Amino acid sequence: MKILKYILLFLILSSCSASKNRAWNCLQIDEGNLAFNEMLELIGKTKIDTNKIKSVKIYSYEFKKNGNIKDSTLIEHQNLNYFSTFKDHTNYEIKYDSLGRDFERYATRIETGETHLNYKKIYDSKSKITEWIVYNRDGQVNSKTFYYYDNLERLIKTEKYYGYFLYEKPILQRKKVLEYKSETLIKETEYSSVVSSDQFDSKLIKEYNKKGQQIDYRSETLENDITVSFWGFKSFYKGEKLIKKESYGSDNRDILTEFKYNSLNLPIENYSTDLNLKKPTRLTKYYYLENKKTTHNNVYN
């Protein structure tokens, strides 16, 4: 899903010119696609019954100084079958060993028919993955990820080394540490670097509740192992549904976003408030269309 999101954003930016008469249209398209992708993240595209619901209209609302709604703008009208028509340019073939374990994947470019080994997995005697090797198109090792377990066979650390074909010595690009309470994963801390350095420049912390739902997400920028800035959000659930998200950051701008759903568990409203200014900042509404009629827009929480 994230890959498709980046493709959408690239197409948006590349289609926008610097001319003033197109600037607002591009901003609208950008906002609409972001709102559509936010909807997909909330529900997962596989949960939408596209036999019944064909498309969604997304509106953004502006506010007056007193906090009342000023007007609305249609920022997106999207066919919900959009992603099912997306075609990849590569075919993949996974091979399994005698124990039924996925151990190799081959990639074939559709245009050229060129095939190369995409990755290889190595397991221990207990079928725990210990090493994941990724290759580039020339058959050279691109990266290796190593997996470490405790005496309870729980995954406690991964380390990804990058640049085997670029550097004399590969760099530690990413390290993840996992923490548990009994058998339940409660925290992941991932350090990463985007440059060929022996120091990490970012840290990502994810915390989970006993149901495995993410309750805190925090991204930090590091300089010499010191946090210089951060942003994140806390998530609140009712059953399986995300109902509130509280964003925070080193800029001291705290935003609370509340989500409402219909009887089909599709989101119909995202309402954001600046907690410091006590003012609404954003309102997005989703209207689902079936046979050219607007349906399923009542609130059910």
Side-chain angles (χ1 to χ4, degrees):
M1 179 64 67
K2 290 185 178 180
I3 294 175
L4 293 172
K5 182 188 295 186
Y6 296 148
I7 292 173
L8 273 175
L9 291 177
F10 172 79
L11 292 174
I12 293 164
L13 294 173
S14 62
S15 65
C16 293
S17 69
S19 60
K20 292 182 179 179
N21 63 339
R22 294 188 62 191
W24 170 245
N25 288 337
C26 289
L27 288 173
Q28 259 190 293
I29 295 172
D30 189 21
E31 183 184 5
N33 277 279
L34 289 174
F36 179 68
N37 279 278
E38 186 174 34
M39 181 198 79
L40 294 177
E41 289 179 354
L42 285 170
I43 62 177
K45 65 183 178 67
T46 57
K47 296 182 180 179
I48 302 175
D49 186 354
T50 55
N51 291 320
K52 294 182 179 179
I53 302 174
K54 302 300 181 184
S55 62
V56 59
K57 285 186 175 181
I58 306 175
Y59 288 84
S60 177
Y61 293 78
E62 293 186 18
F63 296 95
K64 299 178 182 177
K65 291 183 178 180
N66 61 6
N68 293 331
I69 293 176
K70 180 181 179 181
D71 55 28
S72 63
T73 303
L74 176 66
I75 58 174
E76 184 74 5
H77 184 189
Q78 185 65 264
N79 185 336
L80 295 181
N81 284 316
Y82 175 82
F83 289 108
S84 64
T85 61
F86 182 84
K87 294 183 179 179
D88 200 347
H89 294 284
T90 306
N91 285 331
Y92 295 100
E93 178 189 4
I94 296 177
K95 293 191 175 182
Y96 301 87
D97 61 18
S98 59
L99 297 178
R101 300 176 301 195
D102 160 20
F103 82 103
E104 285 183 347
R105 186 174 81 167
Y106 289 83
T108 301
R109 295 286 296 176
I110 296 175
E111 293 89 347
T112 64
E114 175 191 4
T115 298
H116 71 276
L117 178 61
N118 183 225
Y119 69 64
K120 179 187 291 185
K121 295 179 182 179
I122 299 174
Y123 299 87
D124 64 14
S125 59
K126 297 180 180 179
S127 290
K128 295 284 188 180
I129 184 171
T130 59
E131 188 175 345
W132 190 326
I133 308 169
V134 177
Y135 300 85
N136 62 21
R137 293 182 185 177
D138 297 324
Q140 298 171 308
V141 174
N142 185 41
S143 66
K144 291 183 180 181
T145 303
F146 299 90
Y147 299 79
Y148 303 89
Y149 303 86
D150 62 12
N151 55 4
L152 297 178
E153 300 183 10
R154 300 176 302 189
L155 179 66
I156 56 172
K157 184 175 69 171
T158 65
E159 291 181 342
K160 179 181 178 181
Y161 290 84
Y162 170 79
Y164 284 83
F165 69 101
L166 290 174
Y167 313 116
E168 182 177 342
K169 181 182 178 181
I171 62 170
L172 178 57
Q173 184 185 47
R174 186 173 295 120
K175 181 178 75 172
K176 182 186 292 186
V177 178
L178 300 91
E179 300 177 35
Y180 298 84
K181 185 176 182 180
S182 298
E183 294 299 316
T184 304
L185 176 65
I186 59 171
K187 187 176 181 179
E188 292 179 348
T189 304
E190 184 176 287
Y191 301 86
S192 60
S193 175
V194 295
V195 296
S196 55
S197 169
D198 57 355
Q199 289 186 327
F200 295 114
D201 52 32
S202 66
K203 180 167 71 171
L204 178 62
I205 303 170
K206 299 179 183 179
E207 296 187 29
Y208 304 90
N209 61 20
K210 61 183 179 181
K211 293 182 178 181
Q213 297 167 320
Q214 182 179 286
I215 56 175
D216 196 4
Y217 179 104
R218 179 185 173 97
S219 177
E220 301 180 2
T221 300
L222 306 176
E223 289 184 6
N224 298 320
D225 296 327
I226 298 175
T227 300
V228 295
S229 65
F230 66 88
W231 66 273
F233 56 86
K234 296 181 181 294
S235 299
F236 304 87
Y237 302 85
K238 183 177 181 181
E240 299 300 318
K241 292 188 296 186
L242 176 66
I243 57 170
K244 288 194 298 184
K245 185 168 69 175
E246 186 173 328
S247 303
Y248 59 87
S250 50
D251 60 357
N252 294 319
R253 189 168 184 237
D254 301 326
I255 303 294
L256 175 66
T257 301
E258 299 176 273
F259 306 98
K260 294 181 179 180
Y261 300 79
N262 62 16
S263 59
L264 300 178
N265 286 327
L266 301 177
I268 58 174
E269 182 178 300
N270 303 349
Y271 186 87
S272 298
T273 305
D274 188 312
L275 296 178
N276 298 319
L277 299 177
K278 301 187 185 304
K279 289 184 177 181
T281 60
R282 177 178 171 230
L283 173 61
T284 304
K285 290 189 177 184
Y286 301 89
Y287 294 88
Y288 301 94
L289 306 179
E290 177 182 357
N291 296 326
K292 299 182 180 180
K293 295 180 180 179
T294 302
T295 61
H296 307 303
N297 293 291
N298 294 324
V299 178
Y300 294 84
N301 288 319

